Amino acid sequence: MDYILQAEKIYKYFEFNLELRQMQKALKLKKAFNNDLNLICCYIKDFLTLENNGKISNDNNIYNDFVLCFENYKNKNNENHFIDKLLKFSDYYLTLVFENTKDKVLLNTIASVNSCFNIEYYPFLMELMNEYTNKNIDSISYALMLQYITDTVFKNFEALKENTISLVELRNKLKEFASIQNERIAI
């Protein structure tokens, strides 16, 4: 099933499962993406990768995986949190796609990822941006992680091989950088 049809199905699902205020938020997502359903579905696939701890949805199963994810939140009475998170991370995604940031270190990484066609790093970059924005990591750990991703992208590009680092490995590397920073601060 193509991305546009799956995005349409997701919005139909929303119509039947969201309250009015939640639906208004979901429509903001459409507006932010200029009604580009293909791009919305690309985003949702990356969002699901984060929600599923690095497991990448099959292109034909994005709608089904999305519904399962939403239902999981719904069962915990967290539909509002899900919709808010979906909207928040869409801003990060659009920053990545359109390279729209004043943060020069982030821009360098985004440009590297995009120019080398390594968009599989988008989920982690969205998560990293969120962690930094929410002050869960310091600026040095953030910059080190961005540089690490840039270096990895170029090494892979120059070697002409696919050696993408998994989401879990990237999360562990970030923890490593953060712990080093915490040790330096403690000294």
Side-chain angles (χ1 to χ4, degrees):
M1 182 182 306
D2 74 12
Y3 279 15
I4 293 172
L5 288 174
Q6 290 193 77
E8 287 173 345
K9 282 180 70 173
I10 287 169
Y11 272 91
K12 285 287 182 198
Y13 175 81
F14 278 160
E15 287 176 19
F16 290 109
N17 288 282
L18 296 180
E19 296 171 8
L20 179 61
R21 292 182 70 73
Q22 295 168 332
M23 189 63 199
Q24 288 170 332
K25 288 180 181 181
L27 291 173
K28 284 182 184 178
L29 181 70
K30 239 181 178 178
K31 184 178 179 182
F33 281 77
N34 290 324
N35 294 319
D36 186 337
L37 296 177
N38 190 55
L39 188 59
I40 289 171
C41 203
C42 290
Y43 160 63
I44 288 174
K45 181 177 179 178
D46 286 344
F47 180 80
L48 289 171
T49 300
L50 286 174
E51 289 295 306
N52 295 320
N53 202 29
K55 181 182 174 281
I56 300 170
S57 294
N58 179 295
D59 285 347
N60 293 324
N61 294 330
I62 295 170
Y63 169 76
N64 294 334
D65 291 348
F66 183 84
V67 169
L68 289 172
C69 184
F70 180 79
E71 288 296 325
N72 187 34
Y73 275 84
K74 192 174 179 179
N75 290 338
K76 298 174 185 171
N77 292 321
N78 274 337
E79 303 102 327
N80 285 326
H81 177 69
F82 179 83
I83 297 297
D84 289 342
K85 187 174 182 181
L86 188 68
L87 278 171
K88 182 178 188 180
F89 277 74
S90 72
D91 288 339
Y92 302 137
Y93 185 83
L94 292 171
T95 297
L96 296 170
V97 170
F98 296 110
E99 299 180 10
N100 185 19
T101 181
K102 293 178 181 168
D103 180 336
K104 293 190 190 291
V105 179
L106 176 61
L107 183 58
N108 182 53
T109 299
I110 295 169
S112 301
V113 165
N114 288 344
S115 65
C116 294
F117 306 104
N118 281 152
I119 60 174
E120 57 272 5
Y121 288 106
Y122 277 13
F124 179 75
L125 286 169
M126 290 188 301
E127 183 174 83
L128 182 65
M129 291 163 50
N130 186 60
E131 290 295 304
Y132 183 64
T133 301
N134 291 327
K135 298 183 180 10
N136 294 330
I137 58 171
D138 63 278
S139 60
I140 295 172
S141 299
Y142 175 70
L144 287 170
M145 198 65 218
L146 289 172
Q147 188 59 52
Y148 177 76
I149 292 170
T150 302
D151 292 346
T152 302
V153 164
F154 282 128
K155 283 179 191 171
N156 289 341
F157 187 74
E158 290 168 358
L160 297 172
K161 64 179 181 176
E162 277 288 319
N163 190 21
T164 304
I165 300 170
S166 75
L167 181 65
V168 173
E169 291 171 311
L170 288 168
R171 286 174 174 164
N172 289 336
K173 191 67 170 177
L174 178 59
K175 286 178 188 173
E176 179 185 321
F177 285 143
S179 69
I180 290 169
Q181 283 308 113
N182 290 337
E183 287 174 14
R184 287 184 183 164
I185 292 169
I187 295 176

